[in-house]
């Protein structure tokens, strides 16, 4: 008799968009010797909570959630437990087994969370009636001090409640603030292209402008992909305003808006890109049926994504390739998922987000050079931090990497870049 316990579980990606299936959507299947069925419950869960989510998580997030659930179902089969009969004590044992195998605590927590969310969804759909998720506790959390929260005076109480999954492992803070060294940053931004298209240099300007928004304005990856042409075409930059900051509204984490400061010269360069490289990409895209869009950065005119908005993954790949070409690399020990063997691999030493860390450090030095006794306040405003402690304790932990230079008004001069 065909059932969950004697099935061969497989996870595949949808090859293309058809009806309710998106391209690359994770799909679960149950295989038996003479039969195959869609494993509907986890497939529906992934679609509803990830693929169709209003938060638009990336396809990598879909895939990670799919494999996390696959590992859980395979664990249940190995233990002889039908997924519908699994309990909270089973979820605890699942975590213990992965911990005993020396898995990273963050990976374990991600798997535990995926399993809990799946069963909460299954309970709401009437597919599951046991106790997974019972380890969730409501805890009283003290609000941030009034000095750290400008709207603290509007709250009706001094604390708030928050759900906590008590099975999650305690994970120590990991310092991932890694600004690039000055010589590395200079080498990379000169490699990716010119700021303004000039005769004799056929490199497109798009990638340079994207990087400049990171290290000059402190824009996050998500900020860059959401920028529109209207935000820049509405600005007028006079010749004497090239070093003046112009506010650009961006939508950041949790859909909270904030202002990003773009200097006049960068606004001017982006406007030139809109009229030049972007317009060319738009024309090529329309020949291939691409829809009109106001998204600022589009695929290169000669590429298959011409006329289409650039994606976060495309920016990450561009940045990683630039690091590799510039020799900004590091050696990492990686494990082959199929064989389990470990080997050394050369990988990019930095990610696009590290440019934001450079923005913090460079702004600090530029403000110090101008005689600002409290430069961290400008850094806080520029990065959009609610808490000054985040700016001081995290982003400005590396301010010494550029040394002290006097008389700097344009932070490009800190790298010796011609202005």
């Amino acid at each position: 008799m065909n059932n969950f316990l004697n099935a061969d579980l497989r996870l595949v990606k949808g090859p293309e968009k058809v009806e309710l299936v998106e391209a690359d959507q994770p799909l679960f299947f149950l295989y038996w010797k003479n039969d195959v069925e869609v494993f509907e419950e986890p497939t529906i869960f992934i679609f509803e909570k990830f693929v169709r989510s209003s938060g638009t998580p990336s396809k990598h997030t879909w895939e990670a959630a799919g494999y996390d659930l696959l590992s859980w179902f395979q664990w249940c089969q190995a233990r002889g437990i039908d997924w519908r009969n699994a309990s909270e004590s089973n979820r605890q044992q699942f975590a213990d087994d992965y911990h005993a195998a020396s898995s990273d605590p963050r990976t374990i927590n991600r798997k535990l969370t995926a399993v809990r969310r799946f069963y909460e969804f299954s309970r709401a759909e009437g597919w599951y009636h046991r106790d997974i998720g019972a380890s969730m506790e409501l805890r009283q959390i003290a609000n941030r001090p009034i000095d750290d929260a400008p709207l603290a005076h509007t709250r009706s109480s001094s604390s708030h409640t928050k759900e906590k999954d008590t099975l999650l492992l305690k994970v120590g803070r990991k310092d991932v603030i890694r600004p690039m060294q000055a010589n590395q940053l200079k080498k990379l931004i000169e490699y990716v292209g010119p700021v303004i298209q000039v005769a004799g240099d056929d490199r497109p300007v798009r990638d340079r402008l994207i990087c400049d928004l990171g290290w000059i304005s402190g824009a996050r990856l998500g900020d860059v992909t959401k920028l529109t042409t209207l935000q820049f075409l509405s600005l007028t930059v006079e010749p004497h305003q090239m070093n003046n900051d112009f506010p650009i509204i961006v939508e950041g984490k949790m859909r909270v808006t904030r202002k990003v400061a773009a200097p006049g010269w960068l606004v001017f360069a982006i406007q030139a890109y809109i009229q030049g490289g972007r317009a060319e990409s738009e024309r090529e895209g329309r020949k291939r049926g691409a829809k009109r869009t106001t998204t600022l950065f589009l695929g290169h005119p000669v590429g298959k994504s011409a006329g289409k908005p650039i994606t976060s993954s495309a920016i990450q790949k561009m940045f990683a390739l630039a690091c590799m070409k510039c020799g900004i690399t590091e050696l990492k020990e990686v494990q082959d998922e199929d064989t389990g063997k470990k080997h050394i691999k050369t990988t990019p030493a930095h990610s696009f987000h590290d440019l934001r860390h450079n923005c913090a450090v460079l702004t600090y030095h530029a403000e110090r050079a101008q005689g600002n006794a409290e430069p961290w306040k400008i850094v806080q405003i520029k990065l959009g931090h609610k808490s000054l402690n985040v700016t001081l304790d995290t982003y400005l932990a590396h301010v010494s990497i550029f040394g002290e230079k006097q008389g700097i008004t344009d932070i490009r001069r800190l790298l010796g870049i011609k202005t």
Side-chain angles (χ1 to χ4, degrees), residues 208-219:
R208 172 63 179 272
L209 297 176
I210 289 173
C211 290
D212 283 347
L213 282 167
W215 74 277
I216 294 289
S217 300

Side-chain angles (χ1 to χ4, degrees), residues 320-340:
L321 178 61
C323 284
M324 296 294 285
K325 291 290 187 180
C326 293
I328 306 172
T329 59
E330 62 185 359
L331 298 178
K332 283 188 177 179
E333 184 179 67
V334 296
Q335 186 172 13
D336 188 288
E337 293 184 359
D338 296 325
T339 65

Side-chain angles (χ1 to χ4, degrees), residues 131-146:
D131 67 341
I132 286 185
S135 294
M136 297 294 290
E137 289 184 357
L138 282 177
R139 296 189 176 182
Q140 287 291 124
I141 307 296
N143 289 331
R144 285 164 45 202
I146 192 168

Side-chain angles (χ1 to χ4, degrees), residues 4 9 28 39 41-42 45-46 49-50 61-77 81-96 98 106-124 127-136 165 167-168:
F4 169 78
L9 281 165
F28 289 83
F39 192 176
E41 291 87 351
F45 165 72
I46 293 291
K49 294 299 182 180
F50 290 87
T61 305
W62 305 353
E63 185 178 21
Y67 279 110
D68 288 339
L69 287 180
L70 181 65
S71 65
W72 161 256
F73 291 131
Q74 290 174 334
W75 181 89
C76 287
Q77 288 180 320
I81 303 168
D82 189 289
W83 73 268
R84 296 177 184 83
N85 297 325
S87 66
E88 188 72 331
S89 61
N90 296 140
R91 191 168 73 111
Q92 174 69 76
Q93 187 59 53
F94 174 68
D96 292 343
Y98 267 90
R106 291 176 177 80
T107 300
I108 297 173
N109 287 347
R110 192 191 67 222
K111 290 179 181 293
L112 287 173
T113 300
V115 171
R116 174 178 55 77
R117 290 186 62 192
F118 167 69
Y119 278 96
E120 288 173 346
F121 180 81
S122 297
R123 188 180 292 109
W127 304 330
Y128 177 74
H129 305 285
R130 299 199 67 183
D131 67 341
I132 286 185
S135 294
M136 297 294 290
D165 188 343
L167 291 192
L168 299 185

Side-chain angles (χ1 to χ4, degrees), residues 47-63:
F47 177 74
E48 292 291 342
K49 294 299 182 180
F50 290 87
V51 178
R52 201 165 73 171
S53 170
S54 59
T56 61
S58 71
K59 293 181 180 181
H60 297 296
T61 305
W62 305 353
E63 185 178 21

Side-chain angles (χ1 to χ4, degrees), residues 6 59 80 103 116 126 136 185 359 408:
N6 61 24
K59 293 181 180 181
S103 295
R116 174 178 55 77
M136 297 294 290
L185 178 57
C359 177
I408 303 297

